[in-house]
Amino acid sequence: MILLTEIDLHKYLIHNGNDILRRFTLILLLASLALFVAASPVEAKRPNIVFILADDSGYSDVGCYGGEIATPNLDALADNGLRFTQFYNTARCWPTRAALMTGFYAQQVHRDALPKLGGGGRGVRQSWAKLIPDYLKPHGYRSYHSGKWHIDGNVLDAGFDRSYRVNNQGNFFTDRGNLVDDVPVKVPEDETGYYTTTATAEHAIECLQDHENNFSERPFFHYIAFISPHFPLHAL
């Protein structure tokens, strides 16, 4: 289990050598949990990988880092996992996601602007800028996405097998504008009880239950990207 806020791992690796070494190190960090078993003569269990990304959250918001808000479930994950002591963020949504999911600086893959070169939130990645699922698929992994996307292109085209894409970032109380497997959802007349954070978690649970029932022999990668606490945060 890897628990992340919007961390720019590229800046963390900036002192590790040249671009090639940084990219290689990042790919190892994101994918080697699955790939290391290929070098073993004994078949080992390939681990499941879950990324939970909190949108625009600072590390000090979480209880395990001294936050004032009670976050017992996240604290429990931290108690049984690894916590970073130093990291940096890009201060915006889309470049962080591009960096995390591709292993390149956001500017390198046209997802953040550079002087006279354009890019930014509407930039389109080059064909060689693959996302994590494309690296894991040859090793038998199924990949799931639940929540915010904010990466160019369709989710399933990026190697994911299932997706709940939350496009409506301005209203936590309607499913309008969101997509399931890249198809717009049909919004019921009565959306009483709908809440984006809950819907994202429920989709993730549904994917995991389906995986257990139908693909239990295969490992999975699950990218769970909550809108919360990105503004405008509409609390229940």
Side-chain angles (χ1 to χ4, degrees):
M1 177 69 73
I2 302 175
L3 174 66
L4 298 175
T5 55
E6 289 201 339
I7 302 169
D8 182 0
L9 295 176
H10 303 78
K11 291 183 180 179
Y12 174 79
L13 296 172
I14 197 168
H15 300 296
N16 289 356
N18 59 34
D19 278 346
I20 295 177
L21 178 59
R22 287 200 298 273
R23 297 174 195 171
F24 179 70
T25 305
L26 183 60
I27 292 299
L28 285 181
L29 178 63
L30 298 179
S32 65
L33 289 176
L35 307 186
F36 79 96
V37 298
S40 173
V42 178
E43 180 66 22
K45 182 176 176 60
R46 291 162 294 179
N48 298 317
I49 305 170
V50 178
F51 279 169
I52 301 177
L53 184 67
D55 199 341
D56 287 355
S57 173
Y59 76 92
S60 61
D61 294 336
V62 184
C64 62
Y65 280 107
E68 298 176 348
I69 302 172
T71 56
N73 294 316
L74 298 181
D75 297 347
L77 292 177
D79 287 340
N80 292 283
L82 176 71
R83 282 184 285 175
F84 290 97
T85 59
Q86 181 181 2
F87 56 79
Y88 303 87
N89 65 68
T90 67
R92 286 163 301 161
C93 309
W94 65 87
T96 294
R97 283 164 167 73
L100 176 67
M101 298 299 289
T102 66
F104 292 91
Y105 288 99
Q107 294 86 352
Q108 290 177 293
V109 294
H110 299 168
R111 291 299 291 166
D112 204 8
L114 286 173
K116 300 181 180 179
L117 293 180
R122 297 173 185 250
V124 177
R125 290 172 292 122
Q126 302 91 326
S127 60
W128 47 259
K130 305 295 185 182
L131 304 189
I132 293 175
D134 279 330
Y135 293 99
L136 297 178
K137 191 178 293 288
H139 299 273
Y141 275 75
R142 283 180 62 83
S143 294
Y144 307 108
H145 160 261
S146 305
K148 188 174 179 178
W149 182 235
H150 222 173
I151 301 174
D152 60 290
N154 294 325
V155 183
L156 299 193
D157 290 343
F160 287 89
D161 295 287
R162 294 186 60 181
S163 167
Y164 174 56
R165 178 173 177 173
V166 179
N167 276 353
N168 188 345
Q169 304 170 30
N171 191 333
F172 280 61
F173 296 101
T174 179
D175 210 10
R176 193 175 307 280
N178 299 333
L179 301 94
V180 173
D181 296 338
D182 294 326
V183 177
V185 299
K186 295 181 179 180
V187 181
E189 292 184 6
D190 183 6
E191 289 192 279
T192 302
Y194 177 85
Y195 188 61
T196 293
T197 301
T198 303
T200 299
E202 288 178 344
H203 179 265
I205 293 171
E206 178 188 334
C207 288
L208 296 180
Q209 290 175 334
D210 177 66
H211 186 91
E212 177 64 22
N213 293 334
N214 298 298
F215 305 98
S216 59
E217 76 284 357
R218 298 175 59 181
F220 67 81
F221 166 69
H222 203 138
Y223 174 45
I224 308 174
F226 291 101
I227 294 289
S228 175
H230 191 287
F231 76 90
L233 176 57
H234 300 152
L236 285 172

